[in-house]
Amino acid sequence: MSGEWEDRLSRWQDELRLFAQLEDTPWVSLAQAEAETGVSRSALRSWYRNGEIESRLVDGPNGPQRLVPLDAVVERAAKSPRIQRRAEREIGLEAQVTLLRHRVDQLELRLAALERRPPAD
């Protein structure tokens, strides 16, 4: 049974690669589009249902699988103020974490220097 599953999965991945080669843009699953762009699956579904992005239904290893063109998702996401604000917040959080790490490093160096000092009488 496991070998059959792996064969089906392999054939499906080969088909996805073929789609990408035949067209200039890769077509990806909703899960992959979400992972690569940060756009929720519900937003992706709304976009293709409203005709804002293309989609296609292909046979996947677990049955029909919805694919969307990754470039179109990226382009549509760039037009969404809410998605842009979330991306800015995430970048802001990354910057804050970097600054906090730097500050902790500085404090550790100061603490080590204080510990090396001889005790005051």
Side-chain angles (χ1 to χ4, degrees):
M1 190 67 143
S2 175
E4 181 182 325
W5 164 253
E6 290 171 2
D7 289 344
R8 288 176 59 198
L9 182 60
S10 177
R11 282 194 309 272
W12 182 69
Q13 290 170 335
D14 290 343
E15 287 177 18
L16 290 182
R17 281 191 287 278
L18 180 60
F19 282 142
Q21 289 173 359
L22 293 175
E23 301 183 26
D24 291 335
T25 182
W27 287 71
V28 297
S29 67
L30 296 182
Q32 187 175 351
E34 179 181 32
E36 293 194 28
T37 64
V39 176
S40 71
R41 287 185 209 190
S42 61
L44 292 168
R45 286 185 189 100
S46 173
W47 292 352
Y48 71 71
R49 287 177 182 149
N50 292 331
E52 297 176 54
I53 61 172
E54 290 183 76
S55 76
R56 59 173 61 142
L57 206 54
V58 298
D59 286 333
N62 294 321
Q65 178 82 34
R66 179 73 59 179
L67 301 180
V68 292
L70 186 57
D71 292 349
V73 172
V74 170
E75 185 178 315
R76 175 58 182 83
K79 295 177 185 176
S80 171
R82 193 172 85 211
I83 291 171
Q84 291 303 310
R85 281 193 304 273
R86 188 175 71 214
E88 288 169 4
R89 269 195 318 271
E90 289 174 4
I91 290 170
L93 288 175
E94 280 185 38
Q96 289 178 24
V97 167
T98 300
L99 288 172
L100 286 172
R101 283 184 180 146
H102 179 69
R103 183 75 175 140
V104 167
D105 290 344
Q106 288 177 330
L107 290 171
E108 286 176 344
L109 289 172
R110 287 180 63 194
L111 180 60
L114 288 172
E115 289 175 343
R116 284 192 302 266
R117 281 188 185 174
D121 291 329

